């Protein structure tokens, strides 16, 4: 098969068509929610609000910006560890996320913010759109280096759609707690991406093996991504929590879990190397597993030491996964997981889901207080026969639904992406920016010379 | 002419004199506004405020920090794309911005926060100073690599002064809306800088041509700048908007515009390359044009789909500008625009100004509500005969005033900077850090060796 | 002596033991404070709070995240300037900070947030834990490149303990003002680290001299650290200030001081170079001294021009220190200060402490207002015989206590770290990542090739 990677018409047409469609749909459907509408002045009087601070904006804006940084700088730079794929990692992540957030505003809007005529958007919608795209960034990690930007746009289109439906089922029908998205974002994104990678299996990928590693500086660029993800994860897990103590608690729990996770990741990384040396891949990735694992229980009463335990376990499991599971997946299951998303988002996501089911099923009035329990689980709203036990079982059901949706969706999207005309690169040109990017020529003398030193030509 | 680039006395003297003058002026003129003064405790009682949260600090601090990051990391790193000018890009941007914010606090203070005796500063002054310096950073992009740090300090001194006067005319006399500064910051900064670059035209700049391109890693450093600008632009456009719905709306609009802009930038970048490849310059710059174009209308009722349209257009126009207009400007108009600020800030700034005039002139009570309209345009304060039509015409006038001020000011400052004793580099040493910086010698072996591998000396 | 740098058992065992101990202690002692507890719903009724915004979370969360970034990205990347020590700079800083914040939550908790049975943590505890770890990051700068991660964990364990005791003495017994920690964080951290470096003096460190310098790109990575520290320093100095005007004022003061400091650092850097060139080391470090120097007085009435003066002085002193003092310390006092923490944190910290004593001793009712004075210095609480003079003397005492604790503690910890079995590297392998990290092999062709250009093998 001849591979044509020239995207001159396919990529522009895809981008422009999608954007024109988005504009049309936004024109018909999207308006500002009351908090962002000039009628807010009157609304304040009606609701008897004494201050503009009661505008949802001031509750969530700092968290929103942190989440935004995680999606664009965090995920984007985390994937620059490959020696020759930095432009694509950052650039394609930028493209798919920019498209994805617009489509997510519509999909999530129709399902959750539709007033019968319009989708009314406010800051919470923007955060949820970022969350949704986060799951696409996770899946991107599984297929990194092996797909074209056109394929990524298609994958984003479908994945955002499926994500929104899955999220609707979990949050609105099953009414599970999942404020940081262990199930809806991480487990769903990871298994969706892995399934796509499985369908897109490239038997001759070893031809690109030499580029599937890092360089000294590419690893430092990746650490920028790691650290911004790590630092802002408390914002991620608390961004859409209930006002007040729930946001506060989610931050404390996530902070604790992530700190513990760093220590066990470092411990395992060293223990599993024959000379006791640390591996950058583990430091870049496994240290984040504590944030993933805490996604479901973030705002629940796990107590700080419970958070530490989750982080402790996730760091160990994730590092073990990088060492033993990733090679196994590739050799036995034919799943080529470029970034090891199975170890960072897959298993920790499942751990998070299970932790959520357990934590919910042991909720009680001693821990939460009567009003606190009602507020935390939204009992007063609809659930008359609510019990911690039921909540726990619904949480577990939510995990299974997410996994099932991810696998089924991944198969469908994978099959579509296998079609040969999306501009994908041949096996020997994977992990290579030059396929889709104009690359600068390196300066003649690789060394940067000080103007004082004269560089002599090498003698023969 | 002999060029002396040794700044040993000129730069220190300039810095120290300016700083001593600033300290003296601050000592005479600058005091804390009530929100930052210990008398706030009493003020709360007088104003009957129930909570410290009503302190302006809590409304604007997150936005302020985001804007601060845009000025120092955003602009600083955006310009590191040049292979041999990273120190200067980040370092001189740091220097001029640090000087500029102090001078802007005074200039803007005298014109807008003067109580007859003192300039009373609070957080809004800090944000406005950052904004003012933003316009200097834009102009810096036009002359990048061709001027000395002494010239930059002089340019900053004059540009901040002119900016403050222009801003006063627009905001206080014409009473235009320009919350994100399409006109006052971007169009003004770009055309000011381009005029200076025109006066400083270097006919033999081709002697430095080899350094006027990027390397693989310098492009990744530049993406750090791009992404922090892109992500925090919603904060930029909303930082000094009215409390409540206006800030909220400005964020939603900017978010939408920027997302759309990424898709059209990518589309055009690919379509304009003979092999359909993407160009890093476009991804680094044109993707931001949507934020510039939305600067004037950010808090107005453009609706989300209006924002998408502005972003859509700006991405296209900006990318076209990089491909066709920049070469034209250099060859025909003798304007050497190093960073393409005309494409990122100039044209999108004009688009933003026009969009503002149009949006204002169609404002009506249906869209805003009666109170909302009054609040959004500050009608109650002074304008008895206010009409949308008048507002629209004043907006257009504001754009013309900004452009006129930029061109006139640019000529004057350009002529001053042409004087031969500011330490500028000769044409063959442009875009070169070693002129003004101590550069580290590269390690002998360029490759980083693992301690396991022995490096043999190259055989003759 | 034979040096064994294989950490295969020592590092994992240290990490796992510490983390297990932390989990046990958290389980016994740590609970949520009321603001982060589900009983907050009832608390609001009891305290008659009308809104969730009165939760401490909303006062401090943006500042917390900024401080968090300073600790992990700021300090981490600031130290990547070394050509071959980027992994360790970022990675070990990550490790020690992640461990340190957990231990600090306990130590500071027992001393300051203990209700007799539990340590009740809220966001302020997290900020204080970050602060405490900041002082360890400072000390890390003094020993950078010369210690193993096991030594760093031990140093962190002891330093956090001593920091917490010292902080308790200053804040609770002497009741000094030190909101940005000039004394408790910077001076303490610097002199502690310098004392440890003095005990760990390596007479043959010149064998690693070639790696104790930067490369072009490592200096740019370090600028990421510098800028995030610089930009977010206003958050650092205001994060735990009193609500309202104090936080607001601390931000304005720090912003001013840092801006002034940039100009004098640049001036001195150029003036002290024989060709007037700038030195990246000064730009990376001395520009931050203004933030350190303002740490004690940040929320006091220094007035903006007072802040400028402090920044002015700190920039000069710090740059002079790098040029003259660091070589002197190494050659005469046998203190090898890798990052020059004496110039960035040591002297400016002392300047800050002195400025605090002076500013406090001239406090008066004219400046602060009666209630403002009482609120700023917490007079109403306990101090009946309070006078500005007493406060000033207590401030000075606080500085001496901090220095004494740092020197005594540094000696003890230094002696422990001198023991030969912690995995430290020999003198000829300092500043080298390959000792503790798996390093990627560099790609065969160092140049990144465009697919269009064919690379011919070099002819003999």
């Amino acid at each position: 098969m001849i591979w044509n990677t020239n995207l001159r018409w396919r990529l522009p047409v895809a981008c422009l068509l999608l954007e024109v469609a988005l504009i049309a749909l936004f024109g018909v459907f999207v308006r500002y929610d009351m908090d962002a509408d000039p009628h807010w002045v009157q609304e304040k009087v009606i609701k008897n609000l004494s201050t503009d601070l009661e505008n949802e904006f001031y509750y969530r804006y700092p968290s929103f910006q942190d989440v935004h940084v995680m999606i664009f700088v965090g995920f984007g730079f985390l994937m620059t560890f490959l020696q020759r794929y930095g432009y694509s990692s950052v650039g394609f992540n930028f493209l798919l996320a920019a498209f994805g957030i617009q489509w997510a505003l519509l999909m999530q809007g129709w399902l959750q913010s539709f007033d019968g005529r319009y989708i009314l958007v406010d800051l919470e919608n923007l955060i949820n759109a970022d969350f949704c795209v986060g799951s696409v960034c996770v899946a991107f990690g599984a297929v990194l280096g092996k797909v074209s930007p056109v394929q990524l746009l298609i994958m984003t289109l479908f994945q955002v759609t499926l994500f929104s439906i899955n999220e609707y089922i979990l949050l609105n029908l099953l009414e599970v707690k999942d404020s940081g998205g262990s199930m809806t974002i991480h487990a769903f994104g990871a298994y969706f991406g892995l399934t796509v990678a499985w369908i897109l299996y490239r038997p001759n990928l070893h031809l690109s093996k030499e580029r599937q590693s890092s360089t000294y500086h590419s690893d430092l660029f990746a650490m920028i991504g790691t650290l911004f993800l790590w630092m802002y994860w408390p914002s991620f897990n608390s961004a859409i929590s209930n006002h007040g103590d729930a946001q506060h608690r989610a931050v404390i729990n996530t902070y604790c879990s992530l700190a513990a996770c760093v220590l066990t990741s470092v411990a395992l990384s060293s223990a599993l190397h024959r000379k006791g040396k640390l591996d950058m891949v583990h430091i870049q990735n496994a240290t984040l597993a504590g944030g993933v694992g805490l996604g479901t229980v973030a705002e629940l009463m796990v107590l700080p030491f419970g958070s530490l335990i989750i982080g402790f376990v996730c760091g160990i499991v994730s590092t073990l996964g990088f060492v033993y599971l990733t090679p196994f997946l590739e050799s036995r299951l034919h799943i080529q997981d470029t970034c090891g998303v199975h170890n960072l988002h897959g298993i920790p996501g499942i751990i998070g889901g299970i932790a959520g089911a357990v934590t919910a099923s042991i909720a009680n009035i001693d821990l939460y207080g009567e009003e606190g329990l009602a507020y935390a689980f939204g009992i007063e709203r609809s659930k008359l026969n609510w019990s911690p036990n039921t909540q726990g079982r619904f949480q577990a059901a939510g995990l299974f639904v997410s996994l099932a949706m991810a696998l089924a969706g991944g198969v469908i999207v994978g099959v579509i992406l296998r079609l040969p005309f999306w501009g994908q690169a041949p096996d020997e040109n994977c992990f290579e920016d030059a396929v889709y990017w104009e690359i600068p020529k390196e300066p003649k003398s690789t060394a940067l010379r000080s103007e004082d030193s004269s560089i002599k030509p090498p003698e023969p």
Side-chain angles (χ1 to χ4, degrees), chain A residues 414-449:
Chain A
V415 168
I416 295 171
L417 296 186
R418 263 187 86 108
L419 297 173
F421 42 78
W422 302 126
Q424 53 269 61
D427 290 359
E428 63 270 26
N429 281 348
C430 286
F431 315 117
E432 172 60 61
D433 274 338
V435 175
Y436 303 116
W437 296 84
E438 185 69 34
I439 302 284
K441 291 195 179 60
E442 284 300 290
K444 275 161 211 156
S445 67
T446 57
L448 296 160
R449 68 211 117 127

Side-chain angles (χ1 to χ4, degrees), chain A residues 77-92:
Chain A
F77 273 90
L78 182 62
M79 295 187 277
T80 59
F81 73 99
L82 291 172
Q83 57 179 264
R84 292 281 295 155
Y85 211 64
Y87 290 12
S88 303
S89 298
V90 170
F92 295 166

Side-chain angles (χ1 to χ4, degrees), chain A residues 92-373:
Chain A
F92 295 166
N93 186 70
F94 195 14
L95 173 64
L96 73 84
F99 164 60
I101 52 180
Q102 298 176 69
W103 179 229
L105 282 177
L106 288 168
M107 276 305 304
Q108 295 178 315
W110 283 317
L111 290 168
Q112 300 194 38
S113 311
F114 197 59
D115 75 346
R117 189 169 163 205
Y118 292 126
I119 297 166
L120 299 179
V121 300
D122 71 355
L123 202 59
E124 213 169 319
N125 296 68
L126 306 193
I127 296 170
N128 278 318
D130 273 7
F131 277 180
C132 173
V133 160
S135 105
V136 184
C137 297
V138 169
F140 180 30
V143 297
L144 186 77
K146 299 169 293 189
V147 293
S148 76
V150 176
Q151 286 176 304
L152 287 172
L153 289 173
I154 296 166
M155 187 176 93
T156 306
L157 180 69
F158 284 99
Q159 194 180 345
V160 166
T161 310
L162 287 165
F163 176 97
S164 306
I165 295 168
N166 184 54
E167 183 188 44
Y168 178 78
I169 295 171
L170 265 69
L171 303 191
N172 297 57
L173 304 186
L174 299 175
E175 301 194 49
V176 307
K177 303 296 290 179
D178 196 25
S179 69
S182 293
M183 299 183 284
T184 53
I185 300 169
H186 299 288
F188 175 81
Y191 289 100
F192 182 93
L194 291 166
T195 311
V196 171
W198 175 61
I199 306 261
L200 297 184
Y201 178 65
R202 288 168 174 268
N204 297 313
L205 194 62
H206 58 86
L207 296 173
S208 293
K209 203 73 192 173
E210 62 173 37
R211 282 187 306 275
Q212 207 184 343
S213 58
S214 63
T215 62
Y216 193 72
H217 280 153
S218 73
D219 266 333
L220 279 178
F221 279 113
M223 278 305 289
I224 298 173
T226 297
L227 287 176
F228 275 101
L229 286 170
W230 193 91
M231 297 180 302
Y232 285 158
W233 215 294
S235 293
F236 193 92
N237 282 352
S238 68
I240 54 162
S241 294
N242 284 337
H243 294 169
D245 63 288
Q247 277 196 294
H248 203 146
R249 193 162 56 249
V251 164
I252 295 172
N253 288 336
T254 311
Y255 178 95
C256 289
S257 173
L258 285 163
C261 188
V262 174
L263 270 83
T264 52
S265 300
V266 168
L268 270 280
S269 183
S270 173
L272 295 173
H273 186 282
R274 74 196 149 81
K275 292 188 176 178
K277 293 190 183 183
L278 298 169
D279 189 326
M280 257 293 169
V281 171
H282 308 153
I283 308 305
Q284 283 158 8
N285 291 280
T287 52
L288 301 168
V292 175
L294 210 80
T296 299
V297 298
E299 64 186 44
L300 302 182
M301 285 295 281
V302 276
L303 299 190
F305 85 97
S307 306
L308 292 183
I309 292 173
I310 292 175
F312 187 92
V313 172
C314 285
I316 291 173
V317 171
S318 185
T319 312
L320 286 171
F322 276 98
V323 176
Y324 297 113
L325 211 53
T326 302
F328 174 84
L329 286 183
E330 174 154 6
S331 60
R332 298 299 171 88
L333 301 186
H334 285 187
I335 299 174
Q336 293 155 328
D337 181 6
T338 312
C339 293
V341 302
H342 190 233
N343 314 308
L344 170 48
H345 302 278
I347 311 177
I350 291 177
I351 293 174
I354 294 169
V358 173
T359 311
S361 66
I362 59 170
N364 59 59
I365 290 180
D366 282 353
L367 267 174
Y368 290 82
E370 194 165 350
E371 291 174 72
L373 192 66

